[in-house]
Amino acid sequence: MGRTSKVVTSGLLICALAAVSVPVGLELAPAFLPTDPAAVAVLPAAQQPPTALAGISGVTPLIDTAPMPDAATLSTELENALTFDGEGTFSMYVADALTGKELFSQDGGSARTPASNLKLLTASAALKTLGSGTRFSTQAIAGASSNEIVLLAGGDSMLSAGESEPHSAMGHAGLADLARNTAQALATAGSKGPVSINIDDGIFTGPALNPRWAVEDVAAGEIAPIFPMAMYAGRTSPGVMTGPRPQDSALAVAEAFADALEDAGVSTTEEITRGAVPAASPGAAAGSPGTVLASVESATVAEQARYMLAESDNYVAEVLGRMVAVKLGLEPDSAGAVEAVREVLGGLGLPMDTITTTDNCGLAAGNQISPRQLVQLLSILLADPAADLGQALPGLPIAGLTGSLEDRFAKAPALGGAGLVRAKTGSLNRVSALSGYVINSHGRLLVFSILGNGLTGGGIAARPVLDAAASVLALS
């Protein structure tokens, strides 16, 4: 297939995907419609336009008879694509998903800084340990006195101040619902208020900030102190992605809950302190100390992991890592969370003795992993997309359409990968990373990882190089 036909093939799939997921993308359709009817006839099944609307998910069963890319041609095209004007190095590894056969390696076995590609490890550990369908509960519990409420944190970092949004990962559990149900329980128990609020966030321990995070990154809002309950992934509102963030997210939740209680007709003392949930007596009546007044449930772990991967959310990654530590009985602090994720990944067969991790979101200094090892992990996920581990795959952004790849792959030479490449992004001051998979023009599923390090021009400036290399795979 010539390059022109391949671009047409990619363009058709962009239009198909846009029709089911990004309506505004329909404006692009005229530019990609083929003028030669024969161009449609040579489309492989894996790149055929859909015949019915469907949600975008992982991968379909692979075609073992699809031809492998020509190794010599692929190597030449990838080496050319990885050419960079500035200083820095690009390491890349490509394998066939079905057979595991190595198709290309440029320093693919060398450990590099992965930036947010490290979140692939965190998502895998969370899904494997916690289970894809698990939800975290935030509870209002009757305190030691009749006019005291203990707000018990359970690991939900994506609470909203308003009503619950059942079809959304962010804000799936709303504090307005929790407050309204709490008010009803208080009325039933005969409590007239005003009530005081205690916070029990003891499920996490240790400093709320990882000592390996740069002070400048914390100040810039790349991360915030980690607590086991937070609104909007430790932000002031769902749409604010940078800038100042709450330094005590659990307190911010309690303050929003107090406001919601007032709206629900329950007066508060405006006093918020920290204190443990009292022990409930056996057979205690509703409203007695230690009994649950109301609760709200988070999105599933799978939905949270997908959100974390799609939006590259550092806060959600760190909370999930600590919840893995809680599940495994390890210390739920920064170090324990890293240890927990490493333990799970080692159990999956990843060679952790040659992988260095210092946090679970990729922001800290010292993280090191090779492109080959990232491809190995992705291959494990792809081996069974229906399993708990495979539930991470729909969270990988789609080139040119969703998540952190929405604004990329928009022009040549990367345009050929738009709509076809699914990959996790990563970017630090001198790092740019992209790891994922693509079904190529012959229906072969290829898994790849590209890690650019020492980029003096900055990670963002090097993105076109990564995108062009991934597009070579799509057109191979």
Side-chain angles (χ1 to χ4, degrees):
M1 181 181 289
R3 179 167 296 276
T4 300
S5 296
K6 292 173 181 176
V7 170
V8 170
T9 297
S10 302
L12 286 170
L13 191 57
I14 295 169
C15 297
L17 287 171
V20 298
S21 61
V22 186
V24 71
L26 291 174
E27 298 176 5
L28 301 175
F32 294 107
L33 291 176
T35 55
D36 179 8
V40 178
V42 297
L43 284 175
Q47 292 186 5
Q48 287 283 355
T51 57
L53 295 179
I56 298 173
S57 57
V59 295
T60 56
L62 304 181
I63 306 171
D64 57 8
T65 57
M68 290 277 194
D70 179 75
T73 301
L74 184 65
S75 294
T76 298
E77 292 184 350
L78 286 175
E79 287 169 1
N80 290 337
L82 292 172
T83 302
F84 185 52
D85 292 337
E87 288 187 33
T89 59
F90 290 94
S91 300
M92 183 174 184
Y93 189 82
V94 183
D96 175 63
L98 194 60
T99 64
K101 176 183 172 66
E102 177 184 309
L103 299 177
F104 176 77
S105 179
Q106 178 172 295
D107 294 325
S110 300
R112 298 285 185 258
T113 301
S116 284
N117 275 203
L118 194 73
K119 292 183 176 74
L120 289 166
L121 279 68
T122 306
S124 300
L127 287 163
K128 178 67 176 178
T129 307
L130 302 172
S132 60
T134 297
R135 300 179 188 271
F136 305 140
S137 179
T138 304
Q139 298 179 324
I141 296 182
S145 68
S146 60
N147 290 331
E148 180 182 273
I149 297 173
V150 182
L151 195 57
L152 180 62
D156 189 354
S157 65
M158 305 173 75
L159 291 159
S160 75
E163 303 289 333
S164 298
E165 298 181 29
H167 301 296
S168 174
M170 182 66 77
H172 186 90
L175 294 174
D177 283 355
L178 182 63
R180 183 175 59 253
N181 294 337
T182 300
Q184 292 172 356
L186 290 173
T188 300
S191 176
K192 302 185 182 302
V195 299
S196 62
I197 298 174
N198 281 348
I199 300 169
D200 186 342
D201 57 355
I203 190 174
F204 291 174
T205 61
L209 288 173
N210 187 320
R212 302 299 294 270
W213 291 332
V215 173
E216 295 80 6
D217 287 335
V218 177
E222 295 292 338
I223 194 66
I226 304 301
F227 288 86
M229 65 178 175
M231 291 186 296
Y232 314 118
R235 296 182 177 86
T236 55
S237 65
V240 178
M241 304 304 289
T242 59
R245 299 172 69 158
Q247 296 304 293
D248 187 335
S249 285
L251 178 60
V253 169
E255 290 172 340
F257 177 62
D259 290 342
L261 277 176
E262 294 278 357
D263 292 341
V266 178
S267 62
T268 67
T269 63
E270 299 184 357
E271 178 184 3
I272 298 175
T273 59
R274 277 182 160 84
V277 169
S281 301
S288 299
T291 60
V292 177
L293 298 169
S295 66
V296 287
E297 302 292 312
S298 72
T300 65
V301 167
E303 291 165 336
Q304 293 186 56
R306 291 170 192 161
Y307 175 90
M308 179 260 289
L309 292 173
E311 303 300 330
S312 202
D313 196 292
N314 293 328
Y315 200 97
V316 174
E318 291 299 325
V319 170
L320 286 176
R322 291 204 187 200
M323 292 304 290
V324 172
V326 170
K327 182 71 173 183
L328 294 182
L330 300 176
E331 191 68 28
D333 58 7
S334 293
V338 171
E339 180 185 352
V341 170
R342 292 180 62 84
E343 180 178 318
V344 177
L345 270 294
L348 292 175
L350 214 61
M352 299 309 294
D353 57 331
T354 57
I355 297 171
T356 302
T357 56
T358 59
D359 72 353
N360 286 318
C361 68
L363 185 63
N367 293 310
Q368 293 277 291
I369 188 171
S370 71
R372 180 188 290 130
Q373 290 161 338
L374 284 168
V375 166
Q376 181 180 346
L377 176 59
L378 284 163
S379 298
I380 292 171
L381 304 185
L382 287 161
D384 188 359
D388 276 347
L389 278 172
Q391 299 308 300
L393 296 172
L396 295 179
I398 303 173
L401 292 175
T402 65
S404 55
L405 283 180
E406 181 178 5
D407 298 325
R408 292 169 61 172
F409 291 80
K411 59 183 180 181
L415 184 60
L420 302 177
V421 173
R422 296 201 71 153
K424 179 71 196 78
T425 58
S427 185
L428 294 172
N429 286 339
R430 301 183 65 180
V431 176
S432 194
L434 192 68
S435 299
Y437 67 87
V438 59
I439 298 175
N440 77 351
S441 60
H442 291 92
R444 203 83 201 183
L445 181 62
L446 310 180
V447 193
F448 70 91
S449 175
I450 316 169
L451 303 181
N453 280 197
L455 306 170
T456 55
I460 294 177
R463 287 175 180 174
V465 174
L466 278 66
D467 297 353
S471 296
V472 166
L473 298 178
L475 301 174
S476 64

